[in-house]
Amino acid sequence: MTAEGSDAGRTMKMADLARMAGVSSSTVSRALADHPAIPEATRTSIRDLAAKHGYVVNRAARNLRQSQTRTIAVAVPLGHEREQLISDPFFLRLFGYLADEISQRRYDILLVREPSPDAHWLGRLVRSQRADGFIIVGQSNQHKALNLAAGVYRPLVVFGSELPGQAYCSVGSDNFEGGRLATDHLLRSGRKRLLFVGPAELPQIDLRLEGYIKAHGDRGLPVDPGLILPAHFTGTSAYDQVRHATSSGLAFDGVFAASDGIALSAIRALEASGLRCPEDVSVVGFDDSDLASQSRPALTTVRQNVPGIAAALVDHLFRRLEGQQTVSSVLPVNLVVRESAPPP
């Protein structure tokens, strides 16, 4: 077992960590594996010491003594939406394709939902040794935690956008172009005042908003900040925001929603306000979940290439397990035009 030793700038061995903790190497090994035979206070102390010095398990050395777990963990950090369920339609579709890709390589899949992450949750998960590699679904507000783990642990790939100062490898959709396509479609169809509805402070969603702004600028149109409505992915947030917009007299004739779920909530709010979609207000979503084609009206949306995303995530991860370097990938998106926002 090895890690990057931040103190001496050299590879730290388990014996080094044991010496600093004042225990045997076997105690360190069992503590990091969360063995119940080691007192909780000792386990906590050793885990904290390991985290301080960037100590993580060396898979090659461990595999000389015991078999691999042959398991890939798929973790969902929910720092921004603690009530969000992994039964979300987009999540379920992505998980299905990930499971197919992973099982084809004769590995099992471990699903981890982290509803209250802190800066070290991923490091703890890595040290639990429950998996040989990790796919993180969504950056949420966990950019710092992802960077911390990636600094000392290689078999880690994240579904999300490439961010400034990013230390981890990511695979994601072209969210900026998706936002531009959706907004340009609404503007070309004659809509003039467009709501943007979604959590624009989050990675990926912020790029969708940038695309919305760019499409306006390309046509020489200003963006009214009053038309940008914050909304969560869960609960009645999007519905309530759109209902408030209509009841307050805010003028708009189009909606670009940050997800299909938000778009469908917006349509329900419009109907409750006596407005028709698309006759009065056109609506475009993002994802092309299964619900998009089944809704009434059928939802115009930006399609993410979910099978391609899953394949790229798994390919990048297994290449990193083999010691290869991988760079972040951005996959193209396309607009699927249906009834909620017909063509010009």
Side-chain angles (χ1 to χ4, degrees):
M1 297 184 178
T2 69
E4 295 301 322
S6 57
D7 290 342
R10 64 177 181 83
T11 299
M12 179 183 288
K13 300 182 182 299
M14 179 180 285
D16 298 328
L17 190 60
R19 185 177 64 255
M20 287 188 288
V23 298
S24 67
S25 294
S26 62
T27 297
V28 170
S29 177
R30 287 184 291 173
L32 294 179
D34 210 24
H35 197 289
I38 306 300
E40 175 60 30
T42 303
R43 278 182 277 161
T44 299
S45 175
I46 291 174
R47 284 196 299 264
D48 291 344
L49 189 62
K52 177 181 177 181
H53 293 278
Y55 181 91
V56 294
V57 174
N58 182 314
R59 302 289 168 176
R62 192 193 76 174
N63 290 342
L64 292 175
R65 300 187 297 275
Q66 64 184 80
S67 62
Q68 294 175 292
T69 67
R70 296 200 66 81
T71 297
I72 300 300
V74 177
V76 186
L78 298 174
H80 66 288
E81 296 278 13
R82 296 186 180 184
E83 302 304 317
Q84 188 169 6
L85 302 176
I86 57 177
S87 57
D88 176 275
F90 178 79
F91 281 167
L92 283 180
R93 191 158 178 249
L94 180 57
F95 294 153
Y97 282 108
L98 284 172
D100 289 343
E101 292 286 338
I102 292 168
S103 63
Q104 286 174 13
R105 298 174 187 250
R106 300 185 183 278
Y107 273 67
D108 294 325
I109 184 169
L110 171 67
L111 187 58
V112 180
R113 180 178 182 270
E114 185 62 47
S116 301
D118 58 41
H120 300 286
W121 71 271
L122 186 50
R124 291 193 298 269
L125 183 59
V126 167
R127 291 193 297 275
S128 72
Q129 303 182 33
R130 290 189 287 166
D132 297 325
F134 296 83
I135 294 173
I136 312 301
V137 177
Q139 291 147 303
S140 182
N141 55 8
Q142 295 300 296
H143 182 60
K144 178 181 178 182
L146 296 171
N147 266 351
L148 283 174
V152 293
Y153 187 74
R154 300 297 299 170
L156 171 70
V157 182
V158 178
F159 168 58
S161 299
E162 190 167 7
L163 302 177
Q166 179 172 304
Y168 51 88
C169 174
S170 64
V171 174
S173 296
D174 191 341
N175 291 284
F176 173 83
E177 177 62 8
R180 193 198 66 78
L181 283 172
T183 307
D184 185 67
H185 174 75
L186 288 166
L187 294 172
R188 284 192 298 109
S189 67
R191 304 302 179 174
K192 301 183 183 304
R193 285 179 58 82
L194 312 181
L195 290 184
F196 176 90
V197 187
E201 74 280 3
L202 294 181
Q204 299 189 76
I205 310 305
D206 59 350
L207 292 175
R208 296 172 195 179
L209 176 59
E210 287 183 20
Y212 163 94
I213 295 171
K214 179 66 163 61
H216 281 82
D218 288 345
R219 294 179 175 273
L221 299 173
V223 172
D224 182 351
L227 294 175
I228 300 174
L229 305 184
H232 298 292
F233 290 121
T234 56
T236 64
S237 175
Y239 177 90
D240 294 341
Q241 287 280 10
V242 176
R243 279 287 278 153
H244 177 72
T246 57
S247 63
S248 66
L250 181 65
F252 63 94
D253 54 7
V255 175
F256 171 39
S259 74
D260 288 350
I262 290 176
L264 295 176
S265 293
I267 291 174
R268 288 194 298 108
L270 293 171
E271 292 172 345
S273 302
L275 297 172
R276 299 168 299 164
C277 175
E279 291 84 356
D280 300 315
V281 181
S282 292
V283 177
V284 179
F286 202 107
D287 288 337
D288 196 26
S289 63
D290 292 338
L291 294 176
S293 61
Q294 299 168 9
S295 66
R296 291 294 176 268
L299 185 64
T300 295
T301 186
V302 176
R303 174 180 291 163
Q304 298 198 71
N305 180 5
V306 179
I309 290 169
L313 284 166
V314 174
D315 177 69
H316 281 41
L317 179 62
F318 276 84
R319 285 165 57 194
R320 294 177 78 84
L321 280 167
E322 294 168 359
Q324 300 179 36
Q325 295 284 350
T326 60
V327 296
S328 296
S329 299
V330 178
L331 278 66
V333 297
N334 64 286
L335 184 71
V336 180
V337 179
R338 298 192 181 102
E339 297 167 355
S340 70

